[in-house]
Amino acid sequence: MSARLQLVWFRSDLRVYDNAALVQAMSQGPTLAIFIACPDSWQQHDMAPIKQDLIRRRALALQQELAELQVPLLLAEGSDYEAVQDIFRALVPLGIGCVYSELEYELREQQRDQQLQAWLTEQGIDWWQCDRQTAFTPGRFVNGSGSMYQVFTPFKKRWLQALAEQELTVLPKPKPQQKMELALPQLPVFQPGNGSSKDWSVDSEELLQQLRDYCQSRVQLYKKQRDFPALDATSRLSPYLAVGALSVRQCIRRLQLEAGNAIWQAESGAAVWLSELIWRDFYKHVLVAWPELIKHQPFQKDTTAIRWRNDKTLFAAWCAGQTGYPLVDAAMRQLNQTGWMHNRLRMVVASFLVKDLHIDWRWGERYFMRQLIDGDFAANNGGWQWAASTGTDAAPYFRIFNPITQSERFDPKGHFIRNWLPELAAVPDAAIHWPHKLTNRNQYPAPVVDHAKARATTLELFQQARQQAGEGL
Ligand SMILES: Cc1cc2nc3c(=O)[nH]c(=O)nc-3n(C[C@H](O)[C@H](O)[C@H](O)COP(=O)(O)OP(=O)(O)OC[C@H]3O[C@@H](n4cnc5c(N)ncnc54)[C@H](O)[C@@H]3O)c2cc1C
């Protein structure tokens, strides 16, 4: 075997810009690339069909973008992670010298990589991995006792200090290589997807433009408007960050270039948006520090004892957007119909499921993953455990969102509600948050629970669990 080819294995880094694995491979010699769709493994991860479609569409776009660099991208269908080794075996006769990829933090992915690493070593093939899913590598920021921060604020302080001290590098798109003549092996045929994500562009230049536009203008209003779901005030870049079509470094660097010093002014839209990107890093650092979270364990161990009611009828009403609480229902219908939900509403519906319906947060976490185009284990788990008061830096258990007050505050005129609940279109502004008080509800359901009573039950459930855990109150 003549070890002459470099092989880039694209996984959660489906981009040509700021791709360290691609840059490193091409600096070492003639480069080939591969992407392997693993729908059975994706399903085991509860990956939503719309996210799977986005990945497939993005992989096809990537193939064209890499063709302009004269890098052939092989697209293969691997069913599950077990099949990955067989696909690599078919590539060995090409003379692969080294495989290049970006590290993935989740458990099954780590197991897959360990097995493949052992096999590649037997074949005499090297593996170069880089850790670039976050702006700063997990493990870098530790508290006085040498452990990862459990609280966001000190983590953020250290993170910002690092940003002030060190310019983040964003790697350019590599220059084209010499055209190669290769006799490529037959691989299981890649399926193009069903187009369900078609409302989301997969063209690199368009995504960069979207990022640029956002950082140039709308970000300025982010602090003021980000909590109002009827306004288009957030970036909607989460699906691209989730599949790696954009990197977090690209977002931060672009923000620095467009907003300049505003990122250091705590009250500016740019600083608040940056803070959200730091939350993204935070949850990934948390996951690496406490990998047991991947097994859906609560971070706060005493909450393991909570006796969730887990009423299946109530869960079905929540999933379908039929709880009788308009903002909750409008949000769930947005999720079901588009695969995306506004951040304020993710907090509201998560709190409602756990603290009004007393359903285990893991049911909601899983439902979200099965629907979201931007499903990301670390952010989703972090968000759910925050809302359920079971996680790192979680909301205190006695802080319980009131779904009516949230509705009045963040959708005052009911624009968002009416958009997603057509049955309430004719309800006047004064009643839009309280349609259950109307005599004619137009088939809209009565509230499935009474918030005040549900709140009291939540406090009891948490207190019982704490007593059981021996901590008392
Ligand atoms: C219960 C719950 C579940 C969530 N599940 C996910 C998920 O599966 N995937 C996901 O990407 N985000 C998740 N989030 C975080 C957040 O709601 C989304 O990132 C955000 O709504 C995406 O919209 P945007 O791109 O317009 O965000 P913007 O407001 O424009 O923020 C920019 C980027 O920062 C990151 N970000 C923003 N807020 C958060 C946050 N609270 N935690 C972590 N990262 C954040 C995202 O990558 C986002 O694209 C969840 C939040 C909650 C409360």
Side-chain angles (χ1 to χ4, degrees):
M1 183 184 81
S2 67
R4 57 189 179 87
L5 264 188
Q6 317 302 318
L7 178 69
V8 182
W9 181 15
F10 283 93
R11 293 117 63 107
S12 313
D13 55 342
L14 301 177
R15 59 181 181 273
V16 287
Y17 290 96
D18 195 37
N19 191 314
L22 179 66
V23 169
Q24 178 68 15
M26 291 182 75
S27 73
Q28 298 302 304
T31 298
L32 174 70
I34 187 157
F35 172 77
I36 306 169
C38 294
D40 293 353
S41 295
W42 292 347
Q43 214 158 339
Q44 279 179 345
H45 280 301
D46 294 312
M47 190 194 286
I50 192 170
K51 184 178 172 195
Q52 297 190 27
D53 183 59
L54 183 73
I55 291 174
R56 289 178 182 280
R57 289 177 51 240
R58 178 61 206 139
L60 284 163
L62 182 65
Q63 190 176 45
Q64 285 181 11
E65 291 164 16
L66 286 168
E68 288 167 20
L69 308 181
Q70 307 288 7
V71 175
L73 173 64
L74 301 173
L75 297 175
E77 200 70 28
S79 70
D80 61 18
Y81 291 157
E82 295 295 314
V84 166
Q85 198 166 308
D86 288 339
I87 290 174
F88 273 82
R89 188 172 288 116
L91 300 179
V92 169
L94 294 172
I96 309 292
C98 185
V99 174
Y100 300 80
S101 59
E102 185 179 273
L103 208 65
E104 292 188 310
Y105 304 133
E106 288 84 357
L107 193 66
R108 286 202 193 97
E109 283 68 11
Q110 299 254 332
Q111 287 166 347
R112 172 202 63 197
D113 287 359
Q114 277 160 14
Q115 281 173 12
L116 192 73
Q117 168 88 71
W119 181 80
L120 287 174
T121 307
E122 277 170 29
Q123 309 304 311
I125 298 173
D126 294 330
W127 193 349
W128 185 94
Q129 291 230 69
C130 57
D131 191 352
R132 282 175 66 102
Q133 282 201 30
T134 48
F136 296 105
T137 312
R140 172 166 173 165
F141 305 128
V142 288
N143 60 22
S145 347
S147 317
M148 162 64 189
Y149 293 98
Q150 295 184 24
V151 177
F152 177 68
T153 309
F155 174 88
K156 177 178 163 182
K157 212 170 142 200
R158 287 284 291 106
W159 192 103
L160 284 171
Q161 196 185 335
L163 187 69
E165 287 164 5
Q166 172 191 337
E167 185 156 304
L168 282 182
T169 48
V170 172
L171 300 166
K173 177 160 86 170
K175 296 216 159 45
Q177 64 179 8
Q178 293 279 328
K179 195 166 191 282
M180 290 186 293
E181 296 299 336
L182 283 176
L184 296 172
Q186 283 284 327
L187 296 174
V189 178
F190 178 81
Q191 303 299 317
N194 60 14
S196 54
S197 68
K198 66 178 177 354
D199 293 341
W200 299 80
S201 170
V202 287
D203 178 87
S204 264
E205 301 304 328
E206 282 183 30
L207 304 190
L208 287 176
Q209 190 59 42
Q210 196 178 323
L211 171 62
R212 207 173 293 128
D213 289 347
Y214 191 76
C215 293
Q216 276 170 1
S217 56
R218 282 190 300 141
V219 79
Q220 290 161 24
L221 294 174
Y222 186 74
K223 180 169 189 285
K224 224 165 133 193
Q225 299 189 338
R226 70 184 173 130
D227 278 317
F228 296 90
L231 303 176
D232 186 19
T234 69
S235 69
R236 291 185 185 244
L237 291 173
S238 51
Y240 304 124
L241 283 157
V243 305
L246 282 177
S247 76
V248 69
R249 284 165 181 250
Q250 284 177 285
C251 295
I252 295 164
R253 205 61 203 115
R254 179 48 57 189
L255 184 69
Q256 286 177 312
L257 289 172
E258 305 297 347
N261 275 336
I263 65 162
W264 303 109
Q265 292 153 10
E267 294 303 301
S268 73
V272 179
W273 196 62
L274 180 62
S275 199
E276 295 306 318
L277 294 170
I278 305 175
W279 271 106
R280 180 183 179 277
D281 258 27
F282 176 67
Y283 284 136
K284 287 197 189 290
H285 284 228
V286 164
L287 190 64
V288 172
W290 291 283
E292 65 271 22
L293 290 177
I294 295 179
K295 295 182 180 157
H296 305 278
Q297 294 301 311
F299 188 81
Q300 307 286 347
K301 295 290 172 270
D302 55 343
T303 62
T304 312
I306 293 177
R307 287 199 287 273
W308 304 107
R309 301 281 163 87
N310 292 346
D311 181 315
K312 289 190 177 144
T313 309
L314 290 179
F315 182 62
W318 178 84
C319 293
Q322 296 283 352
T323 66
Y325 283 87
L327 191 65
V328 172
D329 293 339
M332 292 307 290
R333 295 197 205 173
Q334 179 185 41
L335 175 65
N336 293 338
Q337 288 173 38
T338 69
W340 187 85
M341 191 195 285
H342 187 278
N343 180 58
R344 167 61 47 183
L345 303 179
R346 294 187 204 209
M347 295 193 281
V348 169
V349 303
S351 173
F352 189 81
L353 183 80
V354 175
K355 294 180 177 169
D356 283 83
L357 304 184
H358 310 121
I359 290 176
D360 192 327
W361 57 272
R362 285 162 282 217
W363 290 31
E365 181 196 20
R366 176 180 250 201
Y367 187 76
F368 261 36
M369 280 310 269
R370 288 179 170 183
Q371 305 296 325
L372 280 173
I373 188 168
D374 64 14
D376 169 85
F377 184 87
N380 195 43
N381 183 272
W384 274 95
Q385 294 223 45
W386 180 88
S389 307
T390 63
T392 48
D393 203 13
Y397 74 92
F398 45 81
R399 214 177 83 200
I400 297 174
F401 278 8
N402 178 325
I404 303 288
T405 318
Q406 290 284 313
S407 187
E408 289 172 335
R409 262 183 86 186
F410 298 114
D411 190 27
K413 296 268 177 216
H415 291 318
F416 182 83
I417 293 173
R418 286 195 190 84
N419 190 35
W420 294 100
L421 303 181
E423 62 270 47
L424 299 185
V427 172
D429 285 3
I432 193 72
H433 311 288
W434 301 87
H436 48 289
K437 286 189 176 167
L438 296 177
T439 44
N440 177 6
R441 281 197 303 273
N442 197 16
Q443 300 194 330
Y444 185 67
V448 290
V449 288
D450 176 281
H451 174 68
K453 285 189 195 146
R455 184 176 193 287
T457 306
T458 299
L459 297 179
E460 265 172 44
L461 289 176
F462 271 85
Q463 283 162 2
Q464 280 166 6
R466 298 184 110 209
Q467 272 162 357
Q468 205 174 316
E471 287 187 18
L473 290 175

